[in-house]
Structure formats: structure tokens, C-alpha cells
């Protein structure tokens, strides 16, 4: 799958070669606040947990994986968009429902980058036949919930999300 550049951003498929970028992004406690309570990831966590985790669902042809988001003008990597089957790590994955997720550097917050990037990824997936999208967030994460709404998603339900690494109650938004 190819994602066309949007007004301000370009998109690059993430591989294990991007481990330093993934680590850098996770070094801000506020970026990590609603993911793990604000704990920074170690380089070992990235190499031994995070990289194998996203590689488990990566499928470039279908667009599944992480997409690094870079500004067109400054060429700065500012975040990523995740694409995977909803509930991939649970006992009931939904291959016809793509989960979108995002993580962006704090200095980019409030500028519409996450929405622009998620919309571009969503459009590329729609072009290859994906019609259903969902996203999850900590119920207190109003910024992510606002992005979900801007993407045309509406509240679906609360869910006790549980896999080998995470166990928390989240809100689910879908279109």
C-alpha cells in the first residue's frame, strides 16, 4: 500500500531500522501518559517488546503496521500512525475492522498533524477496500477522542482491553 503525501506530511513504512525514532518518541512522559502512565521506554523495551509487537501484525501490502509521519518542509519525523486488525492481540481479532492509532511528539500537538495523518492513512486503506475503522483510547484522553471524532468516528462502547502487555478500560470509537 502507498500513502500519498498530504498537505504538510509524508508517510514511510516503519521497520526495525526505525527503533531509534520509536525510542525518541517515547522519551516524553506526557506523550506516554495515556499509554502506560507516563513511563519512558528504554531502548531495550523498544528492541525486545515494541518492535516484535508491531512486526507481528505488519503487512505492507495491506497497510498493516506503523507509518512514520514526516513533515514535508522540515523533514522531521514527528510521529506515527498504527494500522492493525481491531483486537489483534486479543482472542477475537477483527480482520474486517482496521484499528487506527497514533503517537506524536508533544511540540506538534494541537496543529492538526495527527488528524491529517490519520485521515491520509484512512483514505489509502479505503482505496484498497477497507470500509470499517475503529480506534481506542483511555477515557481521559480527550485529545485522542477529538481526533477520532474528526475522523468521522462515533462512540461505540467501553471495553476492558486485555492482552499480554495491557489491561485497561478503554473507549472504542468506530465509523
Amino acid at each position: 500500500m502507498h500513502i500519498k503525501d498530504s498537505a504538510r506530511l509524508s508517510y514511510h513504512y516503519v521497520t526495525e531500522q526505525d527503533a531509534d525514532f520509536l525510542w525518541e518518541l517515547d522519551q516524553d512522559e506526557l506523550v506516554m501518559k495515556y499509554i502506560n502512565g507516563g513511563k519512558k521506554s528504554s531502548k531495550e523495551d523498544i528492541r525486545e517488546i515494541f518492535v516484535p509487537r508491531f512486526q507481528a501484525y505488519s503487512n505492507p501490502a495491506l497497510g498493516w503496521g506503523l507509518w512514520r509521519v514526516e513533515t514535508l518542509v522540515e523533514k522531521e519525523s514527528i510521529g506515527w500512525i498504527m494500522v492493525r486488525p481491531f483486537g489483534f492481540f486479543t482472542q477475537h481479532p477483527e480482520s474486517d475492522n482496521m484499528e487506527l492509532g497514533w503517537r506524536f511528539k508533544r511540540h506538534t500537538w494541537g496543529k492538526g498533524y495527527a488528524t491529517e495523518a490519520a485521515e491520509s492513512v484512512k483514505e489509502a486503506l479505503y482505496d484498497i477496500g477497507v470500509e470499517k475503522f475503529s480506534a481506542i483510547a483511555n477515557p481521559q484522553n480527550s485529545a485522542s477522542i477529538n481526533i477520532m471524532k474528526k475522523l468521522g468516528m462515533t462512540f461505540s462502547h467501553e471495553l476492558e482491553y486485555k492482552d499480554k502487555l495491557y489491561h485497561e478500560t478503554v473507549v472504542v470509537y468506530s465509523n
Side-chain angles (χ1 to χ4, degrees):
M1 184 179 86
H2 174 73
I3 302 170
K4 298 176 198 144
D5 290 354
S6 55
R8 303 176 292 169
L9 305 170
S10 64
Y11 308 92
H12 313 277
Y13 198 74
V14 172
T15 70
E16 65 277 355
Q17 303 303 313
D18 294 291
D20 285 343
F21 163 68
L22 299 171
W23 173 81
E24 176 189 338
L25 189 57
D26 287 7
Q27 296 312 294
D28 185 325
E29 292 95 346
L30 287 179
V31 170
M32 301 303 288
K33 179 179 180 180
Y34 295 113
I35 298 161
N36 64 15
K39 179 179 172 258
K40 296 177 184 181
S41 297
S42 68
K43 286 192 175 187
E44 184 177 303
D45 290 340
I46 296 295
R47 278 192 317 274
E48 296 180 11
I49 299 169
F50 194 72
V51 169
R53 189 170 169 90
F54 81 73
Q55 286 176 326
Y57 57 83
S58 290
N59 184 325
L62 297 177
W64 302 1
L66 296 181
W67 292 88
R68 183 170 43 88
V69 179
E70 184 178 274
T71 58
L72 286 173
V73 174
E74 301 85 3
K75 302 291 186 211
E76 178 189 2
S77 293
I78 60 171
W80 51 252
I81 301 290
M82 176 199 74
V83 178
R84 68 182 178 204
F86 187 79
F88 183 83
F89 289 106
T90 69
Q91 293 185 14
H92 305 288
E94 299 176 31
S95 60
D96 63 337
N97 179 9
M98 286 302 107
E99 179 182 352
L100 300 178
W102 40 85
R103 191 174 304 174
F104 281 78
K105 292 180 179 178
R106 184 179 0 158
H107 76 84
T108 69
W109 294 357
K111 298 179 181 176
Y113 288 124
T115 302
E116 180 179 333
E119 188 63 50
S120 293
V121 171
K122 186 178 171 191
E123 286 176 22
L125 289 162
Y126 189 76
D127 287 346
I128 63 168
V130 177
E131 295 181 4
K132 185 172 182 185
F133 299 92
S134 295
I136 63 172
N138 177 299
Q140 305 301 312
N141 191 345
S142 59
S144 277
I145 292 169
N146 284 337
I147 293 167
M148 294 172 196
K149 291 175 181 177
K150 288 177 186 177
L151 294 172
M153 297 179 182
T154 56
F155 176 79
S156 175
H157 60 285
E158 278 197 357
L159 170 72
E160 183 181 357
Y161 185 91
K162 186 176 183 179
D163 68 25
K164 290 180 181 179
L165 287 183
Y166 298 100
H167 186 186
E168 65 179 309
T169 299
V170 296
V171 290
V172 178
Y173 279 67
S174 299
N175 71 336

